[in-house]
Amino acid sequence: MDENDLNELKYIFSYLVDSFSYEVERDKKSGEIENTTRQLENDKKAIDKMKKSMRENMDEFVVTYNDFKANEEKIMDYISSVTDQYYTKHSQDILSTISQLKHEMEKYIENGIKAMNQFFSLNPLTILNSSIEISAGKDAFDIRQYIQCSYGISYIFRLEPGLSQFMKNPYFSSLYTGIKIPVLIAGDGSVNYENLDSYKLSGAKLSENILDCSFYNETSGNTIDLKYKISGPDTEIVFTSNGEKAKITENYDFMSHMDVKIMDDALGKLAKEITGLTEKDRQLVSLRIDGEEILPTMSFEKIFFRIIKSDYIKSLVKELPENCENCENPDSISKELIRHRIHIIGKDEDYILSTLFG
């Protein structure tokens, strides 16, 4: 078993198991909250039923002993006062218990999402497609990484723009100072250039080997759209002014007045800057299996069962030693350790073990 396979198993039976176990604990707390809330409702109904029954008995008594009518109201007022005081105190105690249960449930949700965040941050599964999209907001950039991987699972990370030096000052001059592109060639052969220093990033998409990005000039309203092929390198440039587009890289005359290598260097730097954000803290904001969003509902068991039911994972588990008593690698994983980890989930233990070990 190679190191990648071993790591995948370790991540599954650590972070993924943790996230599943937190889901189970969340469900338990949710059940306790429902039962306690129902208990409070039933207590209120029981008190109301008792008061109604006592009123009916009093009414029957007054039919025979009419002169007791004035006392009936005094007794019922007293009973209402006592039961109201009791219920107020009782409900406060119950509501305090519910508040504590909700706090505990929220911690399980927080820890479950954190564990799932750690799991996918390690890129444990085979990635089929990945892209990063940047959009300019009012006060900051919104940067998201979209990943589609094996097992029908896809997820989205929000990346932190504050961790990028370029995103703090997103002007072209932060990539490379003094880059100019030819935008007009007069009949006499003179060339008008556009200096890109004051152009600010408005959006970008980095997918596989292609970086698409747009910059705009806040003063003139001019824009420049760039498409950079990283492995080429190869760059397409489109300049827009007053709604008129000029495809710079499709015009030989323009290209003869431009240093393409400097532009490639600048865009290569931007691509590295964007990619570098994936190596820093990322926040999981969406998690889907077969297109179904499960992060808000914390349905992590769907991810867990989809993975462990695969023949691939079962074949890897089969290769593991029974225990690690004689393992040279202290980070090794064993069947014994997996059984221990499954036990802490607290749900479907026999089914999970039979699925994994047959």
Side-chain angles (χ1 to χ4, degrees):
M1 185 183 304
D2 64 28
E3 185 176 354
N4 289 334
D5 291 337
L6 184 61
N7 284 336
E8 184 170 349
L9 287 180
K10 286 163 59 178
Y11 301 150
I12 289 169
F13 293 105
S14 54
Y15 299 119
L16 191 54
V17 164
D18 283 345
S19 64
F20 186 7
S21 66
Y22 286 129
E23 176 192 351
V24 172
E25 294 301 322
R26 185 279 310 265
D27 291 343
K28 289 179 182 177
K29 292 300 174 184
S30 179
E32 289 182 48
I33 290 170
E34 290 179 10
N35 292 335
T36 307
T37 302
R38 193 178 302 112
Q39 175 192 334
L40 185 60
E41 294 171 352
N42 291 338
D43 290 344
K44 182 66 168 63
K45 290 177 182 178
I47 291 172
D48 291 342
K49 183 178 180 181
M50 178 194 71
K51 290 165 67 175
K52 181 181 178 182
S53 177
M54 293 186 73
R55 169 65 76 177
E56 291 172 349
N57 290 335
M58 284 284 192
D59 288 344
E60 290 180 8
F61 186 79
V62 169
V63 170
T64 304
Y65 302 97
N66 189 55
D67 57 345
F68 193 76
K69 180 68 175 176
N71 294 320
E72 176 188 12
E73 296 307 318
K74 291 179 182 179
I75 293 172
M76 290 307 302
D77 286 346
Y78 176 74
I79 291 173
S80 292
S81 175
V82 172
T83 54
D84 286 349
Q85 289 179 31
Y86 166 77
Y87 182 74
T88 297
K89 176 64 169 63
H90 178 65
S91 62
Q92 287 175 343
D93 292 340
I94 296 297
L95 291 173
S96 178
T97 298
I98 291 173
S99 178
Q100 179 60 33
L101 289 171
K102 286 183 177 178
H103 175 72
E104 293 171 5
M105 184 177 73
E106 287 167 0
K107 288 300 295 181
Y108 284 126
I109 293 173
E110 178 185 341
N111 289 334
I113 292 175
K114 187 182 294 185
M116 192 60 82
N117 198 113
Q118 290 174 310
F119 177 70
F120 283 110
S121 291
L122 294 165
N123 298 321
L125 309 178
T126 301
I127 294 177
L128 305 177
N129 291 294
S130 177
S131 65
I132 302 170
E133 296 185 16
I134 301 174
S135 57
K138 183 178 180 181
D139 300 315
F141 286 105
D142 182 63
I143 309 177
R144 303 194 175 214
Q145 181 182 23
Y146 298 82
I147 297 175
Q148 181 182 358
C149 64
S150 51
Y151 305 108
I153 297 169
S154 60
Y155 47 100
I156 302 172
F157 280 114
R158 181 184 291 123
L159 309 183
E160 177 52 57
L163 298 176
S164 163
Q165 289 301 315
F166 171 76
M167 297 301 166
K168 294 177 182 178
N169 187 40
Y171 288 90
F172 210 100
S173 57
S174 296
L175 299 172
Y176 207 110
T177 304
I179 288 186
K180 297 179 181 180
I181 60 171
V183 295
L184 179 65
I185 300 178
D188 61 0
S190 60
V191 182
N192 288 347
Y193 291 91
E194 184 78 2
N195 190 315
L196 301 184
D197 284 354
S198 58
Y199 277 70
K200 185 178 183 180
L201 183 70
S202 59
K205 180 177 181 180
L206 178 62
S207 56
E208 296 182 1
N209 192 39
I210 302 293
L211 169 64
D212 279 293
C213 56
S214 297
F215 288 79
Y216 73 102
N217 187 302
E218 295 171 297
T219 302
S220 66
N222 296 341
T223 64
I224 179 170
D225 297 314
L226 304 157
K227 187 172 184 179
Y228 173 66
K229 187 175 182 181
I230 298 170
S231 65
D234 186 20
T235 303
E236 295 177 14
I237 305 171
V238 177
F239 176 74
T240 304
S241 179
N242 297 320
E244 295 292 326
K245 292 182 180 293
K247 297 182 178 180
I248 306 300
T249 45
E250 292 185 9
N251 187 307
Y252 174 78
D253 291 332
F254 282 150
M255 293 298 290
S256 64
H257 291 88
M258 182 176 166
D259 190 336
V260 178
K261 181 161 189 324
I262 292 179
M263 179 66 79
D264 288 342
D265 289 344
L267 295 178
K269 184 177 179 181
L270 178 57
K272 288 180 181 178
E273 188 82 16
I274 295 172
T275 304
L277 285 174
T278 65
E279 300 169 0
K280 301 175 182 178
D281 288 341
R282 299 181 286 175
Q283 180 186 359
L284 190 66
V285 295
S286 175
L287 176 60
R288 295 175 180 269
I289 182 166
D290 297 335
E292 176 192 358
E293 177 62 65
I294 64 169
L295 191 61
T297 59
M298 201 178 167
S299 305
F300 298 151
E301 62 182 295
K302 294 183 178 180
I303 299 286
F304 178 78
F305 283 117
R306 173 65 61 85
I307 292 174
I308 69 159
K309 285 182 177 180
S310 71
D311 292 336
Y312 170 67
I313 293 299
K314 287 189 284 187
S315 68
L316 293 181
V317 170
K318 188 176 181 180
E319 292 182 37
L320 294 174
E322 184 60 35
N323 57 60
C324 285
E325 291 180 0
N326 299 316
C327 294
E328 295 181 4
N329 187 347
D331 294 327
S332 293
I333 184 172
S334 66
K335 293 176 182 176
E336 181 181 60
L337 178 60
I338 288 177
R339 292 189 184 96
H340 170 72
R341 294 293 296 163
I342 297 304
H343 180 69
I344 72 167
I345 293 175
K347 178 183 178 181
D348 300 329
E349 182 174 354
D350 291 341
Y351 174 69
I352 296 172
L353 292 177
S354 66
T355 299
L356 284 170
F357 298 109

